[in-house]
Amino acid sequence: MQQFDPNIPGLIEGDITTVVVIDPAGTFPPFEVGNHVLNRNDSFKIKVAWKITGLLRPLWLSALGGRWNVQVFAESIGGGPELLLASDNTVAADPAVSDYAVELTVPPNTLDEGNPGSQTSGIYKLVVSVFLDSTLGAPGFDMTGFNEGPIIQVENPV
């Protein structure tokens, strides 16, 4: 499920267009392969892309300025932790740009693997947020988008 606020069709809209989990073991230059079963001992990357459109986009983004705060959270399905996996705030909100992207790296051993018969499933739903903070005051000009999914499984291959 994907949501973006504000969402005023034709005037100002947003869309998280890409959330892809890249397993370093699945890289075949020049291609990178998305994967949903990951080795807990290896880092992995999450590519996030979003788009801002509409007649008010240049005005809205120039008024806000600042940087996008991109965060990826993992929510365990069944037993296990729920935590912030990675974040990035290096992407500037540029009124001349409508397409944005960032690649986040999740360190090794961040998520627990599943163990049959235990309370830890090793299965996680990823939730991505992109947020642009407004300091303009009421009525509130923040921009935020959410994307729910994909689901991954963390496994120790040994």
Side-chain angles (χ1 to χ4, degrees), residues 93-138:
D94 184 343
V97 173
S98 60
D99 293 298
Y100 296 91
V102 68
E103 188 173 273
L104 300 113
T105 301
V106 179
N109 302 310
T110 301
L111 293 170
D112 295 333
E113 72 172 323
N115 292 313
S118 79
Q119 294 297 319
T120 303
S121 70
I123 300 171
Y124 302 89
K125 177 172 45 177
L126 302 185
V127 175
V128 173
S129 73
V130 296
F131 178 71
L132 186 59
D133 194 12
S134 167
T135 58
L136 297 178

Side-chain angles (χ1 to χ4, degrees), residues 26-50:
T27 344
F28 304 98
F31 306 103
E32 291 183 305
V33 178
N35 199 353
H36 295 281
V37 178
L38 304 165
N39 181 344
R40 80 173 305 266
N41 300 317
D42 293 336
S43 65
F44 63 93
K45 296 183 184 293
I46 302 170
K47 290 185 177 183
V48 178
W50 65 103

Side-chain angles (χ1 to χ4, degrees), residues 2 8 19 71 95 104 126 139 146 149:
Q2 201 267 130
I8 307 167
V19 177
Q71 299 180 92
L104 300 113
L126 302 185
F146 303 97

Side-chain angles (χ1 to χ4, degrees), residues 4-6 60 64 131-137 139-144:
F4 217 96
D5 183 35
W60 201 291
L64 291 181
F131 178 71
L132 186 59
D133 194 12
S134 167
T135 58
L136 297 178
F141 294 95
D142 296 341
M143 296 189 81
T144 190

